[in-house]
Structures are given as structure tokens and as C-alpha cells.
């Protein structure tokens, strides 16, 4: 790799690191490209050498998260051994806590992750689709291992994977339903407790047979 490419990668990483912190702390709307350049200790012009605008930086921040998380999940599934429902539990719990590690970073982080920006929504939709496929694969493996009843058709495993994720939607940002009782008392320990209970209940439903 040439020196210029190394410098560009380093610059890009600095921008994303700075933007992640600023978007989380001040929110996307209040953060400016000047703020990002200042925090990254580079010129504003250097930011524009890497990204067309602030929205492109936000998309890249989210893509960085989804890429790393999908890599983790893909490796987990690749290494999976029976019982496959235990692997699925590990996947789901790890996925919940990966989102928390980002969303809990700063005040506005949940808003950034749950952004209504069309580009972000498209990225998240593609990301979710890839995860559904991996969950469907584990469900099919679990059925082959007689851990659960087999689906009526191969495509039903994908439907079941979608249903599993929808049942657990409250465990992901912005956590509105989980915070409803007392927002100030919502902590990582609270989320872990909810995650353990909700994932157990969901997998119990899988064992009983999702229709």
C-alpha cells in the first residue's frame, strides 16, 4: 500500500472517530463540518477530500458500525456448532449489546443510530436483511439437529428470523418502550436483564413452533 493511501486511510479514520463523538454528544444537526475538522485536528478542506458532505460522514459512521457487527456475526455463524439455538442466543444477545455500546456512548447516540435519514435507513435495512439470513441459517440448522420442528418450506426460516427480530425490537435504540417507566434508571444492567428475559421467551416460542 502506498504512503498516500495510508495517509488517506488515517485521515478518514480520524474524521469518523471525531464525527462519531460529535454526532453522539451534540447531535447530527448541531454538529458542523468545522467541528469535525477541529476535533480531528485537520483542515476543513481535508474533510471534503474524504467526504462530499456531513450526511456522507454520518452514513460512513453507521456503515463502519454495521460492517464490524456483521463481521462479528458472520464469524459466529461460521464457527457455529450444535446446539444451534445456543449460538442463536449468543448472536442475539451480542447484537443487542453491540448496539448499546454505540448508543450509550453519548447523549444523542441513540438518535443517530435510529436516524430517519433515508441513506441511514437504507443501510440499516440492508444490514438487517443480512442478519435475518444468518438467523434463518441457524434456525434451519437447529431444525436439522432436531432442536426445533422443521419449517414447512425453506423460505419460512427467513420469515421466522424476521419475526424473532421484530419480537426483540424494543431492545434496540432509541429504547423508548424500555425507558417508559423511569428513563433515568435505564442502564446497561437494565438492558441486559430485559435482553435475557426477552430472548429466552422468544426462543421458547421458537421451540414451541412459530407459525
Amino acid at each position: 500500500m502506498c504512503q498516500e493511501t495510508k495517509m488517506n486511510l488515517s485521515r478518514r479514520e480520524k474524521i469518523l472517530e471525531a464525527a462519531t463523538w460529535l454526532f453522539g454528544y451534540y447531535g447530527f444537526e448541531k454538529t458542523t463540518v468545522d467541528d469535525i475538522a477541529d476535533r480531528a485536528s485537520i483542515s476543513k478542506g481535508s474533510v471534503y477530500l474524504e467526504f462530499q458532505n456531513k450526511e456522507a460522514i454520518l452514513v460512513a459512521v453507521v456503515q463502519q458500525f454495521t460492517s464490524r457487527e456483521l463481521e462479528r456475526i458472520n464469524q459466529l455463524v461460521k464457527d457455529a456448532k450444535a446446539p444451534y439455538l445456543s449460538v442463536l442466543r449468543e448472536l442475539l444477545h451480542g447484537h443487542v449489546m453491540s448496539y448499546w455500546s454505540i448508543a450509550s456512548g453519548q447523549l444523542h447516540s441513540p438518535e443517530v443510530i435510529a436516524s430517519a435519514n433515508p441513506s441511514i435507513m437504507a443501510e440499516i435495512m440492508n444490514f438487517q436483511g443480512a442478519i435475518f439470513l444468518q438467523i434463518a441459517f441457524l434456525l434451519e440448522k437447529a431444525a436439522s439437529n432436531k432442536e426445533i420442528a422443521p419449517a414447512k418450506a425453506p423460505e419460512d426460516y427467513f420469515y421466522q428470523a424476521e419475526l424473532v427480530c421484530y419480537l426483540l425490537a424494543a431492545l434496540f435504540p432509541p429504547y423508548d418502550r424500555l425507558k417508559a417507566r423511569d428513563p433515568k434508571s435505564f442502564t446497561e444492567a437494565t438492558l441486559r436483564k430485559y435482553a435475557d428475559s426477552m430472548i429466552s421467551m422468544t426462543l421458547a416460542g421458537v421451540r414451541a413452533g412459530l407459525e
Side-chain angles (χ1 to χ4, degrees):
M1 183 181 295
C2 69
Q3 185 65 28
E4 181 180 354
T5 302
K6 288 182 179 179
M7 289 177 64
N8 287 342
L9 286 173
S10 176
R11 181 171 60 200
R12 182 183 178 88
E13 289 167 357
K14 287 180 181 179
I15 293 168
L16 293 180
E17 181 179 349
T20 299
W21 191 92
L22 290 164
F23 291 158
Y25 194 83
Y26 294 108
F28 175 73
E29 295 299 333
K30 291 185 178 179
T31 298
T32 67
V33 174
D34 286 304
D35 294 331
I36 295 170
D38 287 344
R39 186 166 182 86
S41 299
I42 60 176
S43 69
K44 184 177 180 179
S46 294
V47 175
Y48 284 115
L49 287 175
E50 297 290 341
F51 299 98
Q52 184 177 4
N53 50 41
K54 189 174 68 168
E55 180 179 288
I57 299 175
L58 176 61
V59 172
V61 166
V62 174
Q63 286 176 335
Q64 184 180 65
F65 165 73
T66 58
S67 177
R68 289 173 179 173
E69 177 61 1
L70 192 57
E71 183 178 352
R72 182 192 70 81
I73 289 174
N74 287 344
Q75 189 62 51
L76 179 66
V77 173
K78 181 181 178 181
D79 296 339
K81 294 181 174 62
Y84 294 102
L85 285 187
S86 294
V87 180
L88 179 53
R89 173 187 288 277
E90 182 181 351
L91 184 158
L92 294 171
H93 198 278
H95 191 43
V96 169
M97 299 318 299
S98 290
Y99 263 92
W100 171 260
S101 69
I102 297 297
S104 64
Q106 302 291 344
L107 180 64
H108 293 277
S109 291
E111 298 171 17
V112 172
I113 295 296
S115 172
N117 179 289
S119 297
I120 300 301
M121 292 178 69
E123 173 65 24
I124 294 297
M125 288 293 290
N126 290 335
F127 175 54
Q128 289 176 337
I131 292 174
F132 292 162
L133 286 172
Q134 295 292 36
I135 293 174
F137 174 80
L138 289 176
L139 289 172
E140 188 169 5
K141 295 289 284 186
S144 298
N145 198 46
K146 296 182 169 48
E147 298 171 40
I148 60 175
K152 294 177 182 178
E155 59 268 22
D156 288 345
Y157 291 112
F158 188 83
Y159 161 74
Q160 291 176 0
E162 289 182 308
L163 186 55
V164 164
C165 291
Y166 293 151
L167 289 171
L168 299 175
L171 297 173
F172 296 92
Y175 308 115
D176 291 338
R177 281 179 282 177
L178 300 186
K179 292 179 177 179
R181 288 186 178 180
D182 186 0
K184 293 182 179 179
S185 68
F186 185 74
T187 64
E188 179 178 346
T190 307
L191 179 62
R192 287 185 181 277
K193 182 178 178 180
Y194 275 117
D196 288 341
S197 298
M198 292 175 69
I199 291 172
S200 292
M201 292 173 64
T202 300
L203 294 183
V206 170
R207 290 190 186 93
L210 292 172
E211 297 292 342

